[in-house]
Amino acid sequence: MVFLTAMLVIIIIYHLQADGLIYAIIVALIAELLNIFMAHALTKSVEKKMLARIRKLVDGYSKRIKGNRKTIQNLERIQEESVKKLYNANIKIKEYEARLDVLEKSSPDMADGTAENPQHPAPGKSPSEITAQTAPPTDKPTGKNQVYSDLPSGSNRKKLPL
């Protein structure tokens, strides 16, 4: 655009000689005005395109944030339910431990419950208590021989010398 304006100015000055300078200045001003309007229009169109692109990105991120919030709320709800279940399970475990302590503190005849007749359980005992009492001893080491291992069961890795 500037090149064409310059060529037009040179042609006008050449043909009109003295009066051509005024016409050349007028043509140059009009060309600069057109150049400013074209640059303004180009800037506006680029601005609209960038605004649309940014709006699309912002919408995508806002949708992602909303989805993450829903997921977080669902996970928090599941966590609360799990905590309630664990709390109730711990309460039951404490009750069973208390019952077991009471049975262990009582006399050996009552603690066994199956001393006289192994086929019929003692009155007032639940089957889980009887199976807990009659279960064979486990092979876990107790007392000073108990060794802590962070390896999963069945692992063939060597234990660290700690």
Side-chain angles (χ1 to χ4, degrees):
M1 187 76 180
V2 175
F3 178 74
L4 294 176
T5 306
M7 292 301 291
L8 188 62
V9 168
I10 291 171
I11 292 171
I12 291 173
I13 291 175
Y14 178 74
H15 284 292
L16 298 177
Q17 301 281 323
D19 293 333
L21 189 59
I22 295 171
Y23 292 120
I25 291 173
I26 292 171
V27 169
L29 287 176
I30 291 172
E32 285 302 316
L33 249 143
L34 286 173
N35 192 13
I36 289 172
F37 286 132
M38 296 283 278
H40 181 69
L42 179 67
T43 306
K44 284 287 189 178
S45 68
V46 168
E47 183 180 334
K48 285 181 182 178
K49 286 181 182 179
M50 292 304 291
L51 185 63
R53 184 181 296 170
I54 290 172
R55 176 62 56 197
K56 187 177 179 181
L57 287 172
V58 168
D59 289 342
Y61 282 122
S62 64
K63 286 180 183 177
R64 181 187 276 177
I65 288 172
K66 287 179 184 177
N68 287 344
R69 283 184 184 160
K70 278 188 173 181
T71 304
I72 288 171
Q73 288 175 351
N74 288 339
L75 291 174
E76 285 176 349
R77 182 180 47 80
I78 291 170
Q79 182 181 12
E80 288 175 5
E81 290 173 0
S82 300
V83 166
K84 287 178 184 177
K85 288 179 183 178
L86 283 173
Y87 178 74
N88 292 335
N90 284 336
I91 289 175
K92 285 186 179 182
I93 288 172
K94 287 180 183 178
E95 289 175 1
Y96 290 142
E97 286 176 348
R99 287 182 190 173
L100 188 61
D101 287 342
V102 168
L103 289 175
E104 287 177 355
K105 290 178 182 178
S106 64
S107 66
D109 293 339
M110 292 179 71
D112 187 10
T114 58
E116 290 107 17
N117 193 353
Q119 299 295 330
H120 300 288
K125 289 189 179 180
S126 68
S128 61
E129 291 176 0
I130 294 171
T131 55
Q133 291 174 358
T134 60
T138 58
D139 294 335
K140 292 184 180 177
T142 57
K144 296 178 183 177
N145 297 337
Q146 187 173 8
V147 178
Y148 172 74
S149 175
D150 61 343
L151 299 175
S153 62
S155 174
N156 57 2
R157 275 185 26 203
K158 293 182 180 177
K159 295 180 182 176
L160 295 175
L162 296 176

